Structure formats: C-alpha cells, structure tokens
Amino acid sequence: MAKYEEHKFWCINCGRSGIPVRRKVGFQHGKDHRKKMWCPWCKAEINHVETRNLDEEFKFREAFNNGSFTEEAQESLDYVRLSCIGKNS
Ligand SMILES: [Zn+2]
C-alpha cells in the first residue's frame, strides 16, 4: 500500500493556503516548486508554492513575511491583467 501525505499550496500574493493535495510519499518536485492555481482570496490565478511539511510551511511564511514574493506576485497579477485586456480588445 502506498502511503500518502498532504501537500499544501500557498498563494504568493496573500500568503494563504489553498486546498491540500494528497501525494504519494516521496513525490518530488524541484526546489521552490510553483504551481499556478486559482486563489479564492485574491480572485485570480496566481503562483502558489508547494510545501510538504511544517518545516517548509514555516520557511514559506518567513519568506512571505520578508516580502520575498512581492515582486513575483506583482508580475503574476500583471500578467493576468494583461491577458484580460488582450481578450477584450
Ligand atoms: Zn491569494
């Protein structure tokens, strides 16, 4: 039987976590994996950071509080805005 663990995804714009995803234990991504997901708080598709455990969660929160993601979040949102404008014109 395969074991599963819950991974969380954290919005880089508001720092809140979305719906946890179950992964097989040992599932690996590269470091600082990003996934573009819908954030219900920001009401936009935005990059999320995946964490596998409390240690990684803590690191994300620390980086988030230090403003490490501010620029990236802004770029992500600008991209959403630009693609919306593109569709309307
Ligand atoms: Zn968000």
Side-chain angles (χ1 to χ4, degrees), residues 11-16 39-43 46 48:
C11 174
I12 61 166
N13 188 52
C14 65
R16 299 193 211 219
C39 174
W41 309 103
C42 300
K43 305 247 185 287
I46 196 154
H48 285 60

mmCIF file with all atom_site columns, all heavy atoms in Angstrom, residues 11-16 39-43 46 48, ligand 1:
data_model
loop_
_atom_site.group_PDB
_atom_site.id
_atom_site.type_symbol
_atom_site.label_atom_id
_atom_site.label_alt_id
_atom_site.label_comp_id
_atom_site.label_asym_id
_atom_site.label_entity_id
_atom_site.label_seq_id
_atom_site.pdbx_PDB_ins_code
_atom_site.Cartn_x
_atom_site.Cartn_y
_atom_site.Cartn_z
_atom_site.occupancy
_atom_site.B_iso_or_equiv
_atom_site.pdbx_formal_charge
_atom_site.auth_seq_id
_atom_site.auth_comp_id
_atom_site.auth_asym_id
_atom_site.auth_atom_id
_atom_site.pdbx_PDB_model_num
ATOM   1   N  N   . CYS A 1 11 ? -0.524  30.720 -1.618 1.00 0.00 ? 11 CYS A N   1
ATOM   2   C  CA  . CYS A 1 11 ? -0.587  31.830 -2.565 1.00 0.00 ? 11 CYS A CA  1
ATOM   3   C  C   . CYS A 1 11 ? 0.544   32.814 -2.272 1.00 0.00 ? 11 CYS A C   1
ATOM   4   O  O   . CYS A 1 11 ? 0.713   33.236 -1.125 1.00 0.00 ? 11 CYS A O   1
ATOM   5   C  CB  . CYS A 1 11 ? -1.942  32.523 -2.418 1.00 0.00 ? 11 CYS A CB  1
ATOM   6   S  SG  . CYS A 1 11 ? -2.086  34.013 -3.395 1.00 0.00 ? 11 CYS A SG  1
ATOM   7   N  N   . ILE A 1 12 ? 1.311   33.161 -3.305 1.00 0.00 ? 12 ILE A N   1
ATOM   8   C  CA  . ILE A 1 12 ? 2.435   34.083 -3.079 1.00 0.00 ? 12 ILE A CA  1
ATOM   9   C  C   . ILE A 1 12 ? 1.964   35.529 -2.974 1.00 0.00 ? 12 ILE A C   1
ATOM   10  O  O   . ILE A 1 12 ? 2.736   36.401 -2.630 1.00 0.00 ? 12 ILE A O   1
ATOM   11  C  CB  . ILE A 1 12 ? 3.518   33.972 -4.178 1.00 0.00 ? 12 ILE A CB  1
ATOM   12  C  CG1 . ILE A 1 12 ? 2.944   34.322 -5.555 1.00 0.00 ? 12 ILE A CG1 1
ATOM   13  C  CG2 . ILE A 1 12 ? 4.153   32.587 -4.180 1.00 0.00 ? 12 ILE A CG2 1
ATOM   14  C  CD1 . ILE A 1 12 ? 4.031   34.560 -6.593 1.00 0.00 ? 12 ILE A CD1 1
ATOM   15  N  N   . ASN A 1 13 ? 0.691   35.783 -3.270 1.00 0.00 ? 13 ASN A N   1
ATOM   16  C  CA  . ASN A 1 13 ? 0.194   37.154 -3.176 1.00 0.00 ? 13 ASN A CA  1
ATOM   17  C  C   . ASN A 1 13 ? -0.378  37.463 -1.791 1.00 0.00 ? 13 ASN A C   1
ATOM   18  O  O   . ASN A 1 13 ? -0.071  38.491 -1.212 1.00 0.00 ? 13 ASN A O   1
ATOM   19  C  CB  . ASN A 1 13 ? -0.856  37.403 -4.250 1.00 0.00 ? 13 ASN A CB  1
ATOM   20  C  CG  . ASN A 1 13 ? -1.254  38.866 -4.323 1.00 0.00 ? 13 ASN A CG  1
ATOM   21  O  OD1 . ASN A 1 13 ? -0.399  39.738 -4.432 1.00 0.00 ? 13 ASN A OD1 1
ATOM   22  N  ND2 . ASN A 1 13 ? -2.532  39.127 -4.242 1.00 0.00 ? 13 ASN A ND2 1
ATOM   23  N  N   . CYS A 1 14 ? -1.221  36.557 -1.258 1.00 0.00 ? 14 CYS A N   1
ATOM   24  C  CA  . CYS A 1 14 ? -1.847  36.843 0.037  1.00 0.00 ? 14 CYS A CA  1
ATOM   25  C  C   . CYS A 1 14 ? -1.283  35.956 1.146  1.00 0.00 ? 14 CYS A C   1
ATOM   26  O  O   . CYS A 1 14 ? -1.546  36.190 2.316  1.00 0.00 ? 14 CYS A O   1
ATOM   27  C  CB  . CYS A 1 14 ? -3.366  36.697 -0.058 1.00 0.00 ? 14 CYS A CB  1
ATOM   28  S  SG  . CYS A 1 14 ? -3.921  35.025 -0.394 1.00 0.00 ? 14 CYS A SG  1
ATOM   29  N  N   . GLY A 1 15 ? -0.528  34.929 0.781  1.00 0.00 ? 15 GLY A N   1
ATOM   30  C  CA  . GLY A 1 15 ? 0.112   34.082 1.781  1.00 0.00 ? 15 GLY A CA  1
ATOM   31  C  C   . GLY A 1 15 ? -0.816  33.085 2.442  1.00 0.00 ? 15 GLY A C   1
ATOM   32  O  O   . GLY A 1 15 ? -0.466  32.481 3.459  1.00 0.00 ? 15 GLY A O   1
ATOM   33  N  N   . ARG A 1 16 ? -2.012  32.899 1.876  1.00 0.00 ? 16 ARG A N   1
ATOM   34  C  CA  . ARG A 1 16 ? -2.937  31.928 2.457  1.00 0.00 ? 16 ARG A CA  1
ATOM   35  C  C   . ARG A 1 16 ? -2.808  30.596 1.732  1.00 0.00 ? 16 ARG A C   1
ATOM   36  O  O   . ARG A 1 16 ? -2.428  30.545 0.567  1.00 0.00 ? 16 ARG A O   1
ATOM   37  C  CB  . ARG A 1 16 ? -4.369  32.412 2.317  1.00 0.00 ? 16 ARG A CB  1
ATOM   38  C  CG  . ARG A 1 16 ? -4.604  33.718 3.043  1.00 0.00 ? 16 ARG A CG  1
ATOM   39  C  CD  . ARG A 1 16 ? -6.078  33.962 3.129  1.00 0.00 ? 16 ARG A CD  1
ATOM   40  N  NE  . ARG A 1 16 ? -6.369  35.371 3.125  1.00 0.00 ? 16 ARG A NE  1
ATOM   41  C  CZ  . ARG A 1 16 ? -7.322  35.911 3.889  1.00 0.00 ? 16 ARG A CZ  1
ATOM   42  N  NH1 . ARG A 1 16 ? -8.034  35.172 4.698  1.00 0.00 ? 16 ARG A NH1 1
ATOM   43  N  NH2 . ARG A 1 16 ? -7.553  37.202 3.834  1.00 0.00 ? 16 ARG A NH2 1
ATOM   44  N  N   . CYS A 1 39 ? -6.695  31.364 -6.663 1.00 0.00 ? 39 CYS A N   1
ATOM   45  C  CA  . CYS A 1 39 ? -6.755  31.744 -5.257 1.00 0.00 ? 39 CYS A CA  1
ATOM   46  C  C   . CYS A 1 39 ? -8.112  32.374 -4.985 1.00 0.00 ? 39 CYS A C   1
ATOM   47  O  O   . CYS A 1 39 ? -8.448  33.395 -5.576 1.00 0.00 ? 39 CYS A O   1
ATOM   48  C  CB  . CYS A 1 39 ? -5.646  32.738 -4.905 1.00 0.00 ? 39 CYS A CB  1
ATOM   49  S  SG  . CYS A 1 39 ? -5.810  33.349 -3.208 1.00 0.00 ? 39 CYS A SG  1
ATOM   50  N  N   . PRO A 1 40 ? -8.921  31.760 -4.101 1.00 0.00 ? 40 PRO A N   1
ATOM   51  C  CA  . PRO A 1 40 ? -10.261 32.295 -3.824 1.00 0.00 ? 40 PRO A CA  1
ATOM   52  C  C   . PRO A 1 40 ? -10.211 33.639 -3.089 1.00 0.00 ? 40 PRO A C   1
ATOM   53  O  O   . PRO A 1 40 ? -11.181 34.393 -3.114 1.00 0.00 ? 40 PRO A O   1
ATOM   54  C  CB  . PRO A 1 40 ? -10.908 31.221 -2.948 1.00 0.00 ? 40 PRO A CB  1
ATOM   55  C  CG  . PRO A 1 40 ? -9.781  30.425 -2.386 1.00 0.00 ? 40 PRO A CG  1
ATOM   56  C  CD  . PRO A 1 40 ? -8.633  30.534 -3.354 1.00 0.00 ? 40 PRO A CD  1
ATOM   57  N  N   . TRP A 1 41 ? -9.079  33.935 -2.437 1.00 0.00 ? 41 TRP A N   1
ATOM   58  C  CA  . TRP A 1 41 ? -8.957  35.192 -1.690 1.00 0.00 ? 41 TRP A CA  1
ATOM   59  C  C   . TRP A 1 41 ? -8.585  36.321 -2.634 1.00 0.00 ? 41 TRP A C   1
ATOM   60  O  O   . TRP A 1 41 ? -9.122  37.427 -2.535 1.00 0.00 ? 41 TRP A O   1
ATOM   61  C  CB  . TRP A 1 41 ? -7.903  35.068 -0.587 1.00 0.00 ? 41 TRP A CB  1
ATOM   62  C  CG  . TRP A 1 41 ? -8.121  33.868 0.267  1.00 0.00 ? 41 TRP A CG  1
ATOM   63  C  CD1 . TRP A 1 41 ? -7.424  32.679 0.219  1.00 0.00 ? 41 TRP A CD1 1
ATOM   64  C  CD2 . TRP A 1 41 ? -9.113  33.691 1.286  1.00 0.00 ? 41 TRP A CD2 1
ATOM   65  N  NE1 . TRP A 1 41 ? -7.931  31.817 1.135  1.00 0.00 ? 41 TRP A NE1 1
ATOM   66  C  CE2 . TRP A 1 41 ? -8.952  32.393 1.817  1.00 0.00 ? 41 TRP A CE2 1
ATOM   67  C  CE3 . TRP A 1 41 ? -10.095 34.527 1.799  1.00 0.00 ? 41 TRP A CE3 1
ATOM   68  C  CZ2 . TRP A 1 41 ? -9.765  31.910 2.838  1.00 0.00 ? 41 TRP A CZ2 1
ATOM   69  C  CZ3 . TRP A 1 41 ? -10.906 34.031 2.822  1.00 0.00 ? 41 TRP A CZ3 1
ATOM   70  C  CH2 . TRP A 1 41 ? -10.729 32.739 3.323  1.00 0.00 ? 41 TRP A CH2 1
ATOM   71  N  N   . CYS A 1 42 ? -7.659  36.068 -3.558 1.00 0.00 ? 42 CYS A N   1
ATOM   72  C  CA  . CYS A 1 42 ? -7.221  37.100 -4.496 1.00 0.00 ? 42 CYS A CA  1
ATOM   73  C  C   . CYS A 1 42 ? -8.131  37.160 -5.715 1.00 0.00 ? 42 CYS A C   1
ATOM   74  O  O   . CYS A 1 42 ? -8.050  38.097 -6.492 1.00 0.00 ? 42 CYS A O   1
ATOM   75  C  CB  . CYS A 1 42 ? -5.791  36.816 -4.958 1.00 0.00 ? 42 CYS A CB  1
ATOM   76  S  SG  . CYS A 1 42 ? -4.602  36.796 -3.615 1.00 0.00 ? 42 CYS A SG  1
ATOM   77  N  N   . LYS A 1 43 ? -8.961  36.156 -5.869 1.00 0.00 ? 43 LYS A N   1
ATOM   78  C  CA  . LYS A 1 43 ? -9.842  36.055 -7.034 1.00 0.00 ? 43 LYS A CA  1
ATOM   79  C  C   . LYS A 1 43 ? -9.045  36.150 -8.329 1.00 0.00 ? 43 LYS A C   1
ATOM   80  O  O   . LYS A 1 43 ? -9.381  36.907 -9.239 1.00 0.00 ? 43 LYS A O   1
ATOM   81  C  CB  . LYS A 1 43 ? -10.917 37.146 -6.999 1.00 0.00 ? 43 LYS A CB  1
ATOM   82  C  CG  . LYS A 1 43 ? -11.724 37.160 -5.704 1.00 0.00 ? 43 LYS A CG  1
ATOM   83  C  CD  . LYS A 1 43 ? -13.167 36.768 -5.965 1.00 0.00 ? 43 LYS A CD  1
ATOM   84  C  CE  . LYS A 1 43 ? -14.020 36.883 -4.714 1.00 0.00 ? 43 LYS A CE  1
ATOM   85  N  NZ  . LYS A 1 43 ? -13.751 35.829 -3.735 1.00 0.00 ? 43 LYS A NZ  1
ATOM   86  N  N   . ILE A 1 46 ? -2.905  32.543 -9.714 1.00 0.00 ? 46 ILE A N   1
ATOM   87  C  CA  . ILE A 1 46 ? -1.632  33.093 -9.268 1.00 0.00 ? 46 ILE A CA  1
ATOM   88  C  C   . ILE A 1 46 ? -0.716  31.949 -8.844 1.00 0.00 ? 46 ILE A C   1
ATOM   89  O  O   . ILE A 1 46 ? -1.197  30.864 -8.510 1.00 0.00 ? 46 ILE A O   1
ATOM   90  C  CB  . ILE A 1 46 ? -1.887  34.096 -8.115 1.00 0.00 ? 46 ILE A CB  1
ATOM   91  C  CG1 . ILE A 1 46 ? -0.683  34.974 -7.867 1.00 0.00 ? 46 ILE A CG1 1
ATOM   92  C  CG2 . ILE A 1 46 ? -2.327  33.402 -6.843 1.00 0.00 ? 46 ILE A CG2 1
ATOM   93  C  CD1 . ILE A 1 46 ? -1.050  36.298 -7.267 1.00 0.00 ? 46 ILE A CD1 1
ATOM   94  N  N   . HIS A 1 48 ? 1.423   29.515 -6.731 1.00 0.00 ? 48 HIS A N   1
ATOM   95  C  CA  . HIS A 1 48 ? 1.407   29.019 -5.365 1.00 0.00 ? 48 HIS A CA  1
ATOM   96  C  C   . HIS A 1 48 ? 2.692   28.224 -5.133 1.00 0.00 ? 48 HIS A C   1
ATOM   97  O  O   . HIS A 1 48 ? 3.222   27.620 -6.061 1.00 0.00 ? 48 HIS A O   1
ATOM   98  C  CB  . HIS A 1 48 ? 0.213   28.086 -5.135 1.00 0.00 ? 48 HIS A CB  1
ATOM   99  C  CG  . HIS A 1 48 ? -1.105  28.809 -5.002 1.00 0.00 ? 48 HIS A CG  1
ATOM   100 N  ND1 . HIS A 1 48 ? -1.610  29.595 -6.006 1.00 0.00 ? 48 HIS A ND1 1
ATOM   101 C  CD2 . HIS A 1 48 ? -2.006  28.847 -3.987 1.00 0.00 ? 48 HIS A CD2 1
ATOM   102 C  CE1 . HIS A 1 48 ? -2.784  30.101 -5.604 1.00 0.00 ? 48 HIS A CE1 1
ATOM   103 N  NE2 . HIS A 1 48 ? -3.041  29.656 -4.380 1.00 0.00 ? 48 HIS A NE2 1
HETATM 104 ZN ZN  . ZN  B 2 .  ? -4.115  34.789 -2.711 1.00 0.00 ? 1  ZN  B ZN  1
#
